[in-house]
Amino acid sequence: MAQHYAQLVHASHEDALAAAKDMQAAIHAFLAAPSALTLGMARERWLAAREFYGQTEAFRFYGGPIDDDHGPEGRLNAWPLDESYVDHVQGKPQSGFIGDAKSRITKANIAKSNERGGEENVSAGWHAIEFLLWGQDLSETGPGNRSFEDYVDGKAPHANRRRQYLRVVTELLMDDLGALVKAQYCSDTQHWRGLMSLVEQRAAMADGEAAHLALDSARVEASAATNAATTGNLGQQGLTPAFEALRGERPRLAASCV
């Protein structure tokens, strides 16, 4: 059970990384030749990649590499964001990182600026990229509708900086996703013990994000052991060995962890 669960977590993060690579390729194609078509393709790849990443959120809240003191969760998934912190919004045509020519557009500076001065000051991650692709959401019935011309020199102010920002913030996201894949249970047993604590104690919830799906296999086993205990006190034989294996086992993972 322990090895299977660890492989599931690792594979889910690998899937999210692979989908994000497709998104990055579509974004590069859009930046190389901005058009309604290439922008639409970049949006489609964002939606697909985001769906894969969303599945990994079931594995949060156990002190793993995404949630520890130095984890990248805030850079990856902070929300909601003050759109004017990144780019122009209605009534503020020069606002944001992109509108401020003095702000250096580098991965280090974007990461350092993320959530600086307030949780809504989001400069990085999925939702910053989403805003750059869709623009400000002013509709009551749908998402934003940014024009591709925002990325065309001579058509919109700061088009060059906007192109640069989208490229760099996507690179930062890829770095963080890649680091997560490498970090899952690869370095030490601390994250493994944290995972065991999650499985054994609770299905955590925070701000509407649930870890219940990640615990389905544990619930099934716990239910079977409980039922067995009512007829023959088999809980120790059925449930405890699995948890003991979780406590001590270092799972064998994919070559990317070695």
Side-chain angles (χ1 to χ4, degrees), residues 55-196:
Q55 295 173 16
T56 71
E57 293 188 307
F59 308 118
R60 287 191 54 209
F61 313 117
Y62 67 89
I66 191 169
D67 288 309
D68 65 23
D69 291 342
H70 303 289
E73 201 282 331
R75 285 195 306 274
L76 283 167
N77 202 38
W79 187 87
L81 77 161
D82 177 357
E83 297 163 326
S84 67
Y85 190 65
V86 174
D87 197 3
H88 71 85
V89 295
Q90 191 174 62
K92 296 181 179 180
Q94 303 297 324
S95 65
F97 220 109
I98 290 170
D100 181 4
K102 296 180 181 179
S103 295
R104 292 177 298 108
I105 301 177
T106 65
K107 287 188 285 187
N109 201 31
I110 291 174
K112 181 177 67 174
S113 300
N114 193 58
E115 297 185 298
R116 184 171 61 188
E119 292 183 355
E120 73 282 1
N121 292 338
V122 177
S123 58
W126 290 104
H127 298 293
I129 296 172
E130 177 186 20
F131 169 56
L132 289 166
L133 293 176
W134 273 272
Q136 186 179 12
D137 183 2
L138 298 173
S139 172
E140 295 182 359
T141 59
N145 190 28
R146 183 190 292 273
S147 170
F148 74 89
E149 291 185 342
D150 272 5
Y151 291 86
V152 178
D153 291 330
K155 294 291 186 179
H158 315 300
N160 182 56
R161 285 180 59 82
R162 192 169 292 110
R163 292 195 303 271
Q164 183 183 4
Y165 196 100
L166 179 55
R167 177 180 57 80
V168 174
V169 76
T170 303
E171 290 174 358
L172 178 59
L173 179 111
M174 297 302 300
D175 288 351
D176 284 334
L177 290 175
L180 274 181
V181 169
K182 188 174 181 180
Q184 289 292 341
Y185 318 116
C186 297
S187 58
D188 54 44
T189 60
Q190 178 182 356
H191 296 146
W192 187 244
R193 290 168 182 164
L195 177 60
M196 172 57 211

